[in-house]
Amino acid sequence: MSTRDLIMMAVRNLWKRKLRTFLTILGVVIGTTSIVVMISIGIGMNESFEKQVEEWGSLQVIDVYSNNGDMYISSDTNANRGKPQKKAVLDAAAIDKFKQMEYVEAVSPIVRESMMLVCGKYVSNASFIGIDPSAMEALGYKVEEGRTLTAEDKEGIVIGRGVITSFYNPKLSWQMQMQTEPPEINVMEEKVIMTYDWNYGTKHADKSIKPIKTPVLGIMPDGGGNGYSVVMPLKQMEKIQKDKEAWQKKQNNSGSASQKKKGQYEQVAVKVSDLNKVQEVQQQIKDMGYQASSLTDQLNTMKETTKMLRMVLGAIGAVSLIVAAIGITNTMVMAIYERTREIGIMKVIGASLRDIKLLFLTEAAFIGFAGGVLGIITSFLMSLIVNLVATKQASEMTSSIPVWLYLSAVAFATVIGVLSGYLPAKRAMKLSALTAIKTE
């Protein structure tokens, strides 16, 4: 019997019992829909977590901190547990080591300082970040206007949108500021200066502190971790800190000056080229004696907290598909009882046992395949409803169905159909031809 004949006979036999076939396929549709939607919710939650964490910064950036020789606790061995570790400092040599590591795309020291931006009669408090200008774009800093820093920039700043909306008039009282609309300032065109004199613009301003003129090169979008920050070249930041420390010493306030040794940094950012290698590179840095963390740590923690929920959702879908498989088995067994005489005639006219087995397996496979196709269509509609409800309720329980899940669902439903029809097909093979012919 040819493959074409098998398929035609299988379709004709299923069509003869339309209601039963429909109800069996409906069971597969429900099972496929359940398992796809449940799995898609788990995938959607993970994607939602990734988007949420990405708003805080780049998932591929590792923050490295110096180790001051505190007690070292190893995660993979007890040999060094509780032993003091050699002090690991972040200097030029350490930065060179990071740059030579596999999968590392960019490395930059991170130097922070709190200062004020001044534009006309308005000021704004901001957190300034000094970085290697050539690494700004690689480290995940984005601009919505202007441009990022480049390797050629010796000075210049990129301002967060939140800093711009926080400008105020220092000569007005707090009550008057609350009643006044925020000023509209175009930092890209107007003159902007920086100062570490927190009394600037008031009668208590220190005239010995000279404001620092600087061009504004770009504006970072509000939101995330950079909306209220100002980014500048590392060399420019170090020069400002040097001037500030000199001023503090003149004011007999050396105790508040930075105690950091020259050439050493408190933080270094390491950009990894492959997201899947972040944890591997991070562990290598820890093994070198440094403290290291990344947003992937938080993302993994968030995924772990929902892991049990995803397993439960998947189990619910699997149970539904198992029930559908029982329905297919029941349908095929009933078909054998009803078609016993037909099976006997097929054997008498020369049909092989293999042909009879393949006929029933083909019918079962058709039920599984049809249920799988209709199931993914239903899953798509259910996914749209879940996402619509999640959007209205601002929920993180969203649904996302990748192409591989669609294809896997159809293939899995077809395999379930074949497996469910195996025992009935084997039973049909064992029927005696003479007994089957005599059956009414």
Side-chain angles (χ1 to χ4, degrees):
M1 187 180 299
S2 65
T3 302
R4 182 177 180 276
D5 292 335
L6 277 174
I7 295 175
M8 295 299 295
M9 287 184 65
V11 173
R12 187 165 55 250
N13 290 332
L14 292 174
W15 187 253
K16 285 179 181 178
R17 300 163 180 82
K18 291 185 286 292
L19 180 59
R20 182 188 299 169
T21 302
F22 170 75
L23 293 176
T24 307
I25 291 177
L26 182 61
V28 180
V29 171
I30 295 174
T32 304
T33 303
S34 299
I35 196 168
V36 171
V37 171
M38 295 302 178
I39 294 176
S40 71
I41 290 176
I43 296 174
M45 291 176 66
N46 284 344
E47 291 181 353
S48 178
F49 288 150
E50 288 184 8
K51 290 179 181 178
Q52 179 181 341
V53 175
E54 282 177 348
E55 291 179 355
W56 303 342
S58 175
L59 291 172
Q60 295 173 241
V61 175
I62 302 173
D63 293 320
V64 184
Y65 302 91
S66 61
N67 187 337
N68 294 322
D70 297 332
M71 299 299 285
Y72 175 69
I73 298 178
S74 175
S75 59
D76 53 0
T77 178
N78 292 324
N80 295 323
R81 187 176 297 277
K83 293 183 179 180
Q85 190 179 10
K86 183 179 178 181
K87 184 176 180 180
V89 298
L90 290 172
D91 52 15
I95 292 174
D96 288 338
K97 288 181 181 179
F98 298 152
K99 289 181 178 180
Q100 294 173 8
M101 293 176 65
E102 189 177 8
Y103 305 114
V104 171
E105 178 182 340
V107 180
S108 172
I110 302 294
V111 179
R112 302 180 185 275
E113 187 69 58
S114 295
M115 292 191 291
M116 297 179 68
L117 275 181
V118 183
C119 186
K121 64 179 180 180
Y122 300 105
V123 299
S124 178
N125 305 332
S127 173
F128 285 71
I129 304 174
I131 65 171
D132 180 350
S134 63
M136 181 176 180
E137 190 170 352
L139 293 179
Y141 292 94
K142 299 178 181 179
V143 295
E144 62 180 12
E145 186 178 347
R147 64 174 177 84
T148 58
L149 299 174
T150 63
E152 291 74 25
D153 291 318
K154 304 302 179 183
E155 61 178 21
I157 58 176
V158 179
I159 305 176
R161 179 67 66 181
V163 177
I164 298 174
T165 57
S166 300
F167 274 97
Y168 64 95
N169 188 341
K171 294 183 179 180
L172 298 180
S173 64
W174 177 254
Q175 291 77 8
M176 293 183 66
Q177 291 180 25
M178 295 297 293
Q179 298 173 3
T180 306
E181 290 291 331
E184 294 184 4
I185 298 176
N186 189 342
V187 294
M188 296 291 291
E189 296 182 1
E190 299 181 34
K191 178 182 176 182
V192 175
I193 59 177
M194 303 177 292
T195 180
Y196 45 86
D197 180 10
W198 294 100
N199 294 317
Y200 187 90
T202 68
K203 61 182 180 180
H204 303 293
D206 191 332
K207 295 182 179 180
S208 65
I209 301 177
K210 295 182 179 181
I212 306 158
K213 297 179 182 180
T214 185
V216 178
L217 304 177
I219 299 175
M220 296 181 290
D222 197 3
N226 303 316
Y228 288 88
S229 301
V230 177
V231 182
M232 65 168 55
L234 180 64
K235 297 296 183 182
Q236 185 181 16
M237 170 65 80
E238 290 177 338
K239 183 179 183 303
I240 293 174
Q241 286 190 329
K242 183 178 179 180
D243 293 341
K244 181 181 178 181
E245 290 177 8
W247 170 78
Q248 288 175 332
K249 290 179 180 180
K250 288 181 180 180
Q251 300 297 317
N252 295 322
N253 194 23
S254 58
S256 62
S258 173
Q259 301 299 317
K260 177 175 64 68
K261 293 183 179 179
K262 185 178 180 180
Q264 294 184 7
Y265 304 99
E266 296 178 355
Q267 179 184 353
V268 170
V270 177
K271 169 68 179 295
V272 181
S273 58
D274 187 349
L275 179 60
N276 297 322
K277 298 295 182 179
V278 171
Q279 288 295 317
E280 178 182 331
V281 174
Q282 181 174 320
Q283 186 58 49
Q284 292 177 11
I285 294 174
K286 287 182 178 180
D287 292 341
M288 294 167 65
Y290 299 97
Q291 300 178 23
S293 63
S294 64
L295 290 177
T296 55
D297 296 333
Q298 301 182 42
L299 179 60
N300 292 337
T301 301
M302 296 169 73
K303 288 182 177 180
E304 281 296 322
T305 57
T306 60
K307 185 176 180 179
M308 183 58 67
L309 175 60
R310 298 197 305 271
M311 293 176 62
V312 171
L313 293 176
I316 293 173
V319 169
S320 301
L321 203 54
I322 291 173
V323 173
I326 295 173
I328 296 175
T329 303
N330 179 66
T331 296
M332 301 310 299
V333 170
M334 292 300 297
I336 290 173
Y337 281 120
E338 293 175 354
R339 294 158 56 189
T340 302
R341 184 180 178 82
E342 177 186 334
I343 295 171
I345 294 174
M346 290 176 61
K347 288 186 175 182
V348 170
I349 63 177
S352 66
L353 295 179
R354 179 178 178 274
D355 290 337
I356 295 173
K357 178 182 178 181
L358 288 177
L359 176 62
F360 283 91
L361 289 179
T362 302
E363 292 179 16
F366 262 110
I367 293 175
F369 177 78
V373 172
L374 295 176
I376 63 173
I377 295 174
T378 309
S379 302
F380 176 75
L381 299 176
M382 290 292 294
S383 179
L384 292 179
I385 295 174
V386 170
N387 289 334
L388 182 62
V389 174
T391 301
K392 289 185 176 180
Q393 297 183 353
S395 172
E396 294 180 352
M397 189 171 288
T398 58
S399 173
S400 176
I401 309 178
V403 175
W404 66 263
L405 184 55
Y406 282 124
L407 299 177
S408 299
V410 175
F412 188 59
T414 304
V415 171
I416 289 294
V418 173
L419 294 178
S420 301
Y422 179 77
L423 291 179
K426 195 172 182 180
R427 180 183 178 84
M429 290 172 56
K430 293 180 178 180
L431 286 176
S432 170
L434 294 177
T435 303
I437 292 176
K438 296 177 181 179
T439 303
E440 295 295 334

